[in-house]
Amino acid sequence: DAVGQDSLVSGSLRVVDKDAEVIVEYKPVEETVDTSNMLCAGKDSSSVMEWDQVSGEKSLHLLESQQSYETEWDMVNAVSFKKKSCSNGEGSLNHCHERSRGAFSFAVSDLRSITVKEEGWTFLVLKLKDSCSSLPALHFHHGGSREFLDSLRRFALLTPEDDTCLMVSTPNRALSQSFENLLDDNNFGLVQVRKTVGLQQKFRKDPYVTTLGGFSKVTNYIFDAFRGTEEQHQRPPEEVELLGEVIPGLEINQQEEPGFEVITRIDLGTRPEVNRTGPLSSEDWIRHQDTEGRMINIPLLKQVIFKGGLCHALRKEAWKFLLGYVPWDSTLEERKVLQRSRTDEYFRMKLQWKSVSEEQERRNSRLRDYRSLIEKDVNRTDRSNRFYEGMDNPGLVLLHDILMTYCMFDFDLGYVQGMSDLLSPILYVMENEVDAFWCFVCFMDQMHQNFEEQMQGMKTQLIQLSTLLRLLDLSFWNYLESQDSGFLYFCFRWLLIRFKRELSFQDVLRLWEVMWTGLPCDNFHLLVCCAILDSEKQKIMEENYGFNEILKHINELSMKLDIEDILQKAEGICEQITSCKVRSATSDNEYVQQRQITSLKVHSATSANEP
């Protein structure tokens, strides 16, 4: 039925997460308030969305300066609801006396369904599980209904029942909060916009995983790991095969009874002490060049870089070699020719997206989605760094253009949130658009699987890391397993963007150049994870941290880690592993000297070959 203006009461909505309960609150606006000015939202935290009344000028300022990783929460408008008489029966809502004045509130867990209707504007009909209680319809005359539904989806699943009705269900609260702790760091998340085939069928089969998977590819793997199926109790053949490849020499014996397996008993011995040195100087770098500019004594050069990193003045040149942008055996003239060729190629690709008309882009949803994500991320990537701080910063323009051009280079992958974190340090070092792009391409060649739809790279690394930790410290691994943390999902962000958000900016530069040497093993970043966990295990176990506490503790390590201490410990762990002896669980007298373990493929500085 048509709704007259005199039957509507203007007001504002809040979705509040407090005391382990998510509450939706509606409060009327005083008649003297101009509701047309309610244009944007202010937000107390990642778990509270509050729609505030602000002036149009202030609204615009807030939107421009918003640093949140979830700005879609920040676009809201005034809401009106149709007046209804309040029942005083036992089934009436809480705070009924408030409703008599137009205000009401309810718990999201009490919500049964939401019907979305159109009447020249969108209005929502909310139904509670308690059939005796009723809520007034919410009319969104100035938009905002979609944002309201999106905010509810952070706390509940909205499953389509038909074209207009959404059924509401609230998943396990503790588990949801745990993933929020894992994925949120200053509202950081990994999100990629993709169309989902057969979404409604997936909803009906597994709505929890499907919904969260639509928000973030991160959850695609995490929720697979947490499924309560028989697959958890016995490793599938392909995983047994993978583990056999990951750790050559270890015998995995699957027992008939699920949940038990015998690997081996490990004698790791004492962890050796290792020392690190100072960064490679410009003079030492020049001594590793011949008269034509070719790099010589490359294994020794890499060893020096691994042990101490590079002085900052060298990074612009040395990173091109470490990342594989220029060959180690190339002459200076050959590198100049390569530079000219790569420059032409880059600007041809850049012109492709620069020349797309508005009409073309309107018909290309993927390009629009990529551009939208990039524009959002660029405006909140390393803004405290002088290279990117302030409005209208040319560094931000370069960051944007390189990421858009990468979409042309690899349109299948396009852009995924998190990639801006990988580009930012490279652009900071190179200070050149073309060089930064091609170095980023080389880095993405290494990291590509982390961002693919199936995230196979992340799955493999988490399996490897779990197996490695079990080898290094079985008691700690068993403790984590007892706290439902054996999958090491709390290390996900570490692996995804190579500790970018765990370390200070300068420490990230040091860590990355050390890892790019490929020494002392291919998967040195896994040993870095083990080094961090080794430093934190005593506190975790002594404090008897559970599922949520472990997540919280690991997240709070951000910007508190000592990179040199971590690198020293990680190198010591590597030497400890390569010299360990493995005693088979079925034969006490059989010793096998481990030469390769956890895909480490240890490289010797005196025998390593040039790339």
Side-chain angles (χ1 to χ4, degrees):
D1 298 335
V3 179
Q5 291 297 323
D6 59 345
S7 64
L8 295 176
V9 177
S10 295
S12 60
L13 282 171
R14 298 178 69 215
V15 180
V16 185
D17 182 7
K18 59 183 179 181
D19 300 328
E21 188 74 89
V22 181
I23 305 295
V24 176
E25 297 178 348
Y26 178 90
K27 293 182 179 180
V29 178
E30 297 295 332
E31 293 182 358
T32 56
V33 175
D34 180 6
T35 59
S36 65
N37 286 334
M38 300 178 66
L39 296 176
C40 73
K43 187 170 54 173
D44 297 334
S45 69
S46 61
S47 59
V48 177
M49 187 193 75
E50 182 172 0
W51 300 2
D52 288 338
Q53 170 193 331
V54 295
S55 66
E57 182 179 352
K58 182 179 177 183
S59 165
L60 180 61
H61 174 71
L62 286 174
L63 291 176
E64 289 179 348
S65 61
Q66 176 59 251
Q67 300 300 315
S68 165
Y69 269 81
E70 300 177 60
T71 53
E72 59 270 22
W73 279 40
D74 302 318
M75 302 285 292
V76 237
N77 256 318
V79 180
S80 301
F81 77 84
K82 187 176 180 180
K83 294 178 181 178
K84 284 190 177 182
S85 59
C86 175
S87 169
N88 292 324
E90 292 181 0
S92 62
L93 286 172
N94 293 335
H95 312 299
C96 186
H97 62 285
E98 292 187 25
R99 287 190 58 202
S100 64
R101 299 193 301 271
F104 65 84
S105 65
F106 61 88
V108 173
S109 58
D110 293 333
L111 193 58
R112 177 187 296 276
S113 67
I114 303 175
T115 301
V116 183
K117 295 186 177 182
E118 296 290 336
E119 197 175 86
W121 59 84
T122 301
F123 69 95
L124 307 179
V125 179
L126 311 179
K127 291 187 178 180
L128 300 176
K129 295 176 181 178
D130 181 358
S131 59
C132 297
S133 301
S134 61
L135 292 171
L138 299 176
H139 295 257
F140 294 78
H141 292 274
H142 305 289
S145 59
R146 181 179 299 177
E147 287 77 5
F148 175 63
L149 293 175
D150 286 344
S151 69
L152 287 182
R153 287 188 175 98
R154 280 190 62 90
F155 309 104
L157 302 181
L158 307 184
T159 308
E161 180 70 13
D162 54 40
D163 291 340
T164 62
C165 183
L166 300 171
M167 301 304 296
V168 181
S169 58
T170 50
N172 180 275
R173 179 65 177 154
L175 186 59
S176 298
Q177 186 62 44
S178 298
F179 285 115
E180 182 178 327
N181 292 339
L182 169 63
L183 301 178
D184 268 5
D185 178 16
N186 295 326
N187 299 319
F188 170 79
L190 171 74
V191 181
Q192 183 180 35
V193 178
R194 292 188 186 274
K195 292 185 178 178
T196 306
V197 180
L199 184 60
Q200 288 193 1
Q201 288 80 359
K202 293 182 180 181
F203 259 120
R204 297 187 182 280
K205 181 179 179 181
D206 197 341
Y208 196 12
V209 174
T210 303
T211 301
L212 288 170
F215 290 143
S216 171
K217 293 195 302 178
V218 172
T219 56
N220 290 349
Y221 172 66
I222 294 179
F223 277 88
D224 283 344
F226 273 88
R227 284 185 199 273
T229 65
E230 293 298 324
E231 295 175 359
Q232 284 186 342
H233 301 298
Q234 187 165 355
R235 295 187 184 278
E238 60 269 19
E239 184 172 326
V240 174
E241 181 180 350
L242 174 61
L243 288 172
E245 295 174 356
V246 165
I247 307 186
L250 291 185
E251 298 179 5
I252 301 175
N253 180 22
Q254 285 287 111
Q255 304 297 306
E256 293 182 1
E257 186 175 357
F260 294 88
E261 63 182 39
V262 177
I263 300 182
T264 49
R265 290 201 295 272
I266 307 297
D267 178 15
L268 286 175
T270 304
R271 184 177 302 168
E273 292 288 335
V274 297
N275 296 312
R276 293 187 55 75
T277 60
L280 182 72
S281 66
S282 299
E283 293 77 14
D284 290 333
W285 176 263
I286 293 173
R287 279 196 285 269
H288 283 83
Q289 291 181 342
D290 65 13
T291 55
E292 293 185 311
R294 297 184 185 88
M295 305 306 297
I296 57 176
N297 297 327
I298 298 169
L300 178 59
L301 179 61
K302 287 184 176 181
Q303 180 67 15
V304 174
I305 297 173
F306 171 76
K307 279 291 190 178
L310 297 159
C311 69
H312 187 72
L314 272 179
R315 285 176 172 145
K316 187 178 297 187
E317 181 179 1
W319 278 23
K320 298 174 187 178
F321 291 94
L322 291 171
L323 283 165
Y325 171 33
V326 297
W328 290 92
D329 59 354
S330 61
T331 65
L332 183 60
E333 284 303 315
E334 289 171 340
R335 293 197 287 274
K336 289 180 179 179
V337 172
L338 177 64
Q339 171 77 12
R340 289 193 293 269
S341 172
R342 291 300 200 186
T343 299
D344 291 342
E345 187 176 357
Y346 172 78
F347 283 107
R348 280 198 302 270
M349 289 187 291
K350 183 175 180 178
L351 184 62
Q352 290 174 0
W353 64 267
K354 280 280 193 179
S355 60
V356 172
S357 67
E358 291 184 7
E359 181 68 15
Q360 286 178 297
E361 187 165 331
R362 188 172 65 84
R363 301 173 187 271
N364 191 332
S365 60
R366 290 185 67 185
L367 182 61
R368 288 199 312 272
D369 291 338
Y370 291 154
R371 186 192 295 272
S372 176
L373 278 175
I374 289 171
E375 288 175 351
K376 287 181 180 180
D377 283 1
V378 162
N379 285 325
R380 55 206 177 198
T381 298
D382 291 324
R383 295 305 300 276
S384 60
N385 188 300
R386 291 188 62 185
F387 192 79
Y388 300 107
E389 69 181 0
M391 302 299 293
D392 301 322
N393 189 306
L396 299 179
V397 177
L398 293 179
L399 201 64
H400 171 274
D401 289 0
I402 292 171
L403 291 172
M404 283 297 298
T405 306
Y406 186 80
C407 291
M408 298 294 104
F409 177 81
D410 188 347
F411 203 82
D412 286 341
L413 179 64
Y415 177 77
V416 184
Q417 279 187 312
M419 289 166 56
S420 62
D421 281 285
L422 300 185
L423 172 59
S424 172
I426 294 175
L427 178 58
Y428 169 83
V429 167
M430 293 298 156
E431 299 180 309
N432 176 281
E433 184 176 3
V434 174
D435 290 342
F437 173 81
W438 289 111
C439 286
F440 176 65
V441 166
C442 294
F443 195 18
M444 281 302 300
D445 286 344
Q446 302 175 26
M447 305 291 290
H448 201 279
Q449 284 192 318
N450 284 13
F451 297 96
E452 292 172 359
E453 187 72 21
Q454 301 302 318
M455 303 195 78
Q456 187 57 48
M458 294 303 302
K459 296 178 183 179
T460 302
Q461 289 174 86
L462 285 170
I463 291 174
Q464 291 176 335
L465 180 58
S466 179
T467 307
L468 180 58
L469 184 63
R470 180 165 46 180
L471 169 73
L472 291 170
D473 196 330
L474 184 59
S475 63
F476 183 43
W477 185 88
N478 283 334
Y479 176 82
L480 294 175
E481 184 76 5
S482 71
Q483 302 299 324
D484 295 327
S485 301
F487 293 105
L488 304 183
Y489 42 81
F490 48 80
C491 298
F492 199 95
R493 191 176 64 203
W494 297 359
L495 300 173
L496 181 70
I497 51 176
R498 288 297 189 269
F499 309 94
K500 169 63 167 55
R501 290 187 169 263
E502 319 311 317
L503 303 169
S504 68
F505 199 85
Q506 292 301 319
D507 284 352
V508 169
L509 306 184
R510 172 72 74 240
L511 175 63
W512 285 7
E513 64 199 14
V514 166
M515 291 193 298
W516 291 338
T517 65
L519 298 176
C521 52
D522 291 339
N523 283 335
F524 184 66
H525 64 285
L526 298 181
L527 296 182
V528 172
C529 293
C530 290
I532 298 174
L533 293 175
D534 184 72
S535 299
E536 301 303 320
K537 68 177 181 180
Q538 183 176 354
K539 183 174 182 61
I540 291 174
M541 296 177 71
E542 286 183 355
E543 298 291 335
N544 197 28
Y545 283 166
F547 184 91
N548 284 330
E549 290 81 8
I550 293 173
L551 281 172
K552 184 174 184 293
H553 178 72
I554 294 299
N555 279 345
E556 290 176 350
L557 294 177
S558 179
M559 303 301 158
K560 299 177 183 177
L561 300 172
D562 184 332
I563 186 60
E564 291 301 323
D565 180 66
I566 292 170
L567 289 173
Q568 189 173 8
K569 182 172 290 188
E571 185 182 356
I573 292 173
C574 183
E575 292 190 13
Q576 183 182 22
I577 291 176
T578 54
S579 61
C580 79
K581 296 179 179 180
V582 179
R583 178 181 295 176
S584 170
T586 57
S587 175
D588 289 341
N589 297 322
E590 182 181 0
Y591 288 87
V592 181
Q593 180 68 38
Q594 287 296 95
R595 293 183 176 86
Q596 293 182 340
I597 200 161
T598 319
S599 294
L600 296 180
K601 300 178 183 177
V602 177
H603 305 307
S604 167
T606 58
S607 62
N609 296 322
E610 299 178 11

